[in-house]
Each structure stands twice: as structure tokens, then as C-alpha cells.
Amino acid sequence: MGELANFLPAGGFGAVGVGSLLVTVVAYLLNANRADRKEYQEAIDRAEKRADDAARRTDAAEQRTEGLQQSIDEARAARRAAEDRLALIERELARYRADGVR
């Protein structure tokens, strides 16, 4: 309200003075409201940008996780295939040994 005090007349108020005072008060309130709305919108814009950035980081992390999970699944499948191949070779070797002993 300190800014408003600069507009108050030093003397008394006449009929025109009261109207001028009301116009001044309304103008002051409108300017303050406009500044508040601008600050509020800027805060919303900053919050939305942070949320968008966080969503992008989350998406990137999920994609990396999916890629790593796929690599793990492929490695497990390769290990199982190698174990199956080893078991087959061991069975064949055991059969050859058994056939050779007879």
C-alpha cells in the first residue's frame, strides 16, 4: 500500500477527489492482480517444464531398463541353449563310452 500513498492528495478530499481516489485504488488493484496472475502463470510454466523433463527422464530410464531386460533374457536363452547342447554332448559321450566298453 506504500505505492498507493504516493497518489493520495496532501489536502482533504472533495467530491472529485474521492472519485479520483477510487479510480487510483482500482487501477492499483488491477495492476497488482495482473502482476500476481503473471507470477502465477510463470510458476505454472516452470512446474510444467519440470514435469515434462521428469517424464522424459522416466521414459528414457524405462527404455534403458527394457533394453537391459531384453539383453538379460537373450543371455539366459543363450545359456540354456549352451546347457542343452552340453547335456546332449555328455549323453552322446556316455553312450559312445558304453558302446565301446561292450
Side-chain angles (χ1 to χ4, degrees):
M1 195 85 166
E3 297 173 16
L4 186 59
N6 296 333
F7 296 105
L8 296 177
F13 294 106
V16 175
V18 171
S20 296
L21 177 63
L22 287 175
V23 168
T24 303
V25 168
V26 168
Y28 172 80
L29 292 174
L30 287 173
N31 278 337
N33 188 31
R34 186 179 308 117
D36 287 346
R37 279 194 323 258
K38 181 180 178 187
E39 183 179 320
Y40 176 75
Q41 187 60 49
E42 289 171 352
I44 287 174
D45 292 343
R46 286 190 305 270
E48 287 176 347
K49 183 182 182 311
R50 285 192 308 268
D52 290 344
D53 291 345
R56 277 192 293 275
R57 286 191 307 271
T58 300
D59 290 344
E62 287 174 354
Q63 288 176 356
R64 283 192 305 271
T65 301
E66 288 173 9
L68 291 172
Q69 187 61 50
Q70 183 178 359
S71 295
I72 290 170
D73 293 343
E74 290 170 358
R76 284 180 180 156
R79 186 194 74 222
R80 287 184 192 118
E83 288 172 348
D84 291 347
R85 180 78 176 136
L86 176 62
L88 177 65
I89 291 171
E90 287 175 343
R91 283 192 305 272
E92 288 178 6
L93 181 59
R95 189 173 46 118
Y96 288 133
R97 286 183 179 160
D99 288 345
V101 172
R102 290 184 197 175

